[in-house]
């Protein structure tokens, strides 16, 4: 895309940062001011900083990992949004409670992703070993309103598009495209993934590329060739005591597996950065080559209670809701170690994803909207009856909320970037 000028970009993308605590309305760019008059009342951006500081403190992650997470969130407004689902739900239950209704009457309660966003889909191993593309992150699933997944996904698409240089009109069209696909998808039940013959464009190419990956190439990347995982920037030696505890639990959970090595993987995820995550190299009698088992601490869902109390984590519930939403669940296990809940899954060689670039969003918005409808339909609630003949009303309210909250995200991000960016 050829950018004629910087005047249409969000301010955070071309270096003009407001004074700390400045009114987010006054900080908006000219295009946004014309589009959204009159302006609603926003939450002060400084409150986002306080909320996230309190949230990370509740998680109990180290100061080093908090600093790393803060810098990650300062990279772009979309990175900020993806790493702060708890802040989003805090806002939905407070400042934005009355603005988040897509239709006048209450929506039915369904299983929701909780952390729906534009990058919450990718390739993985589906039925009979086929590579598929679909929803791939159910870690913060909970029961709630389908509006919340739609709104979080809509804001994500809007923020990502604007961050990538798209106009407000283009970003709006992207949200509307996703919303229409969702409404149409309510009549198309199925799993929350698509097989190769159901996709096209960049998604089809990604499925083909991911399906061609070999286990040997995966092992070459992550192991030293002698039955050990590499220790590098991503994998480090685990705490000896914690490692021994994990090995004992894992051996009891998977008696048929031979555990060759265990490494910690702390620098992963956005909202989960700093929480315990491990890779274990294993052998099993039914497979010719070793494979990697991922062990991940459960971040409690913020959908109903947006706090960082890890004792609320429930790995069994995550897997149960993933099944309910049509996710591929084949072999994962959940367990508790002290107050921390964990679940396991294979680090599959088929793993791959698109980016949050505008051209990628154009390919994925419709598909992910369709899959979100399939996921919500797994709860058997009458979402179509709730919508009835009000599709246009729902779409316009979804677009309106996505644009409005996206401006809140941009305001929060400018405040965040001013404090935490290494370049700031």
């Amino acid at each position: 895309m050829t950018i004629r000028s910087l005047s249409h970009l969000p301010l955070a993308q071309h270096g003009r940062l407001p004074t700390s605590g400045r009114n987010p309305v006054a900080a908006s760019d000219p295009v946004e001011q014309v589009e959204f008059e009159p302006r609603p009342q926003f939450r002060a951006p400084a409150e986002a900083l306080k909320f996230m500081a309190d949230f990370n403190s509740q998680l109990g992650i180290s100061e080093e990992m908090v600093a790393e997470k803060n810098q990650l969130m300062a990279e772009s407004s979309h990175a900020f949004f993806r790493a702060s689902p708890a802040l989003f739900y805090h806002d939905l239950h407070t400042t934005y409670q009355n603005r988040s209704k897509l239709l006048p009457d209450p929506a039915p309660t369904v299983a929701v992703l909780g952390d729906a966003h534009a990058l919450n889909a990718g390739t993985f191993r589906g039925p009979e070993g086929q590579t598929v593309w679909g929803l791939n992150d159910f870690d913060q699933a909970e029961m709630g309103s389908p509006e919340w997944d739609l709104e979080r996904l809509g804001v994500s698409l809007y923020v990502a598009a604007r961050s990538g240089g798209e106009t407000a009109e283009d970003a709006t069209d992207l949200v509307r495209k996703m919303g229409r696909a969702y409404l149409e998808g309510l009549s198309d039940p199925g799993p929350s993934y698509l097989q190769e013959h159901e996709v096209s464009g960049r998604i089809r190419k990604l499925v083909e590329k991911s399906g061609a990956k070999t286990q040997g190439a995966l092992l070459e990347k992550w192991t030293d060739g002698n039955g050990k995982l590499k220790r590098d920037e991503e994998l480090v030696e685990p705490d000896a005591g914690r490692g021994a505890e994990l090995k004992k639990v894992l051996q009891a959970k998977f008696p048929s597996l031979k555990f060759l090595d265990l490494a910690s993987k702390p620098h992963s995820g956005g909202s989960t950065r700093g929480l315990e995550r491990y890779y274990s190299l294993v052998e099993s009698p039914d497979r010719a080559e070793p494979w990697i088992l991922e062990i991940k601490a459960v971040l409690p869902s913020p959908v109903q209670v947006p706090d960082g109390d890890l004792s609320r984590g429930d790995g069994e519930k995550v897997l149960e809701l993933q099944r309910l939403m049509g996710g591929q669940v084949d072999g994962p296990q959940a367990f508790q170690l002290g107050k921390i809940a964990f679940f396991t899954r294979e680090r599959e060689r088929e793993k791959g994803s698109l980016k949050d670039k505008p051209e990628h969003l154009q390919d994925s918005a419709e598909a992910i909207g369709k899959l979100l409808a399939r996921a919500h339909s797994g709860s058997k609630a009458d979402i179509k009856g709730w919508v009835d003949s009000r599709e246009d009303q729902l779409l316009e309210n979804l677009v309106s909320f996505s644009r409005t909250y996206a401006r809140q995200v941009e305001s929060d991000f400018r405040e965040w970037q001013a404090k935490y960016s290494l370049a700031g």
Side-chain angles (χ1 to χ4, degrees), residues 28-295:
S28 298
D29 61 82
V31 172
E32 299 287 313
Q33 286 180 351
V34 171
E35 184 178 358
F36 296 115
E37 296 291 353
R39 296 187 180 283
Q41 183 63 44
F42 282 79
R43 170 188 41 71
E47 293 181 24
L49 275 67
K50 183 180 185 305
F51 177 89
M52 289 305 301
D54 292 343
F55 181 80
N56 289 329
S57 178
Q58 290 175 355
L59 291 179
I61 59 180
S62 69
E63 291 185 5
E64 177 186 2
M65 292 311 302
V66 169
E68 183 175 308
K69 182 177 180 180
N70 290 345
Q71 290 165 16
L72 170 74
M73 293 171 65
E75 290 178 0
S76 73
S77 52
H78 195 225
F80 173 88
F81 179 71
R82 288 191 296 113
S84 56
L87 174 63
F88 175 76
Y89 285 101
H90 168 74
D91 285 341
L92 279 192
H93 297 321
T94 54
T95 308
Y96 289 84
Q97 185 174 20
N98 294 328
R99 305 177 206 164
S100 61
K101 292 183 179 297
L102 299 184
L103 293 173
D105 46 309
T109 298
V110 301
V112 296
L113 289 177
D115 189 20
H117 58 73
L119 299 183
N120 196 355
T123 51
F124 50 88
R125 189 180 309 144
E128 301 178 356
Q130 297 177 347
T131 303
V132 299
W133 184 91
L135 302 178
N136 61 359
D137 188 349
F138 299 82
D139 298 5
Q140 297 179 59
E142 182 56 276
M143 301 301 294
S145 170
E147 297 164 298
W148 301 342
D149 269 353
L150 280 167
E151 288 164 339
R152 183 157 175 79
L153 180 55
V155 173
S156 172
L157 289 168
Y158 194 97
V159 170
R162 293 289 277 150
S163 296
E166 296 292 275
T167 66
E169 182 179 4
D170 290 337
T172 295
D173 289 344
L174 201 61
V175 176
R176 191 173 281 114
K177 182 178 181 181
M178 178 274 292
R180 285 199 189 99
Y182 176 86
L183 292 171
E184 293 170 1
L186 293 173
S187 300
D188 179 32
S192 56
Y193 53 82
L194 300 170
Q195 298 188 37
E196 186 174 346
H197 68 274
E198 298 178 278
V199 295
S200 60
R202 289 181 177 82
I203 299 178
R204 178 69 175 267
K205 291 179 180 178
L206 178 64
V207 170
E208 293 172 349
K209 179 181 178 181
S210 298
K213 294 178 180 178
T214 67
Q215 188 67 10
L218 179 73
L219 294 173
E220 183 177 356
K221 175 181 178 180
W222 291 106
T223 72
D224 64 2
N226 297 307
K228 295 289 185 181
L229 293 161
K230 292 178 181 178
R231 277 20 177 203
D232 51 24
E233 293 181 354
E234 294 198 59
L235 298 181
V236 299
E237 195 68 25
D239 174 80
R242 193 61 163 176
E245 290 179 319
L246 280 168
K247 289 176 183 177
K248 183 177 180 180
V249 173
L250 291 171
Q251 195 64 74
K253 278 283 182 183
F254 302 96
S256 65
L257 298 184
K258 180 180 180 182
F259 290 86
L260 304 176
D261 193 23
L262 179 73
S264 175
K265 193 171 186 288
H267 309 289
S268 294
S271 59
T272 58
R273 182 145 310 205
L275 298 185
E276 291 183 83
R277 188 186 303 219
Y278 303 90
Y279 273 10
S280 182
L281 185 65
V282 301
E283 290 180 337
S284 54
D286 60 332
R287 298 176 65 165
E289 296 178 283
W291 51 281
I292 295 172
L293 183 71
E294 182 179 20
I295 306 101

Side-chain angles (χ1 to χ4, degrees), residues 316-334:
E316 292 288 356
K317 186 175 183 179
V318 168
L319 298 179
E320 177 187 347
L321 292 174
Q322 183 171 342
R323 293 186 186 95
L324 183 60
M325 286 187 274
Q328 178 74 0
V329 182
D330 183 17
Q333 296 279 352

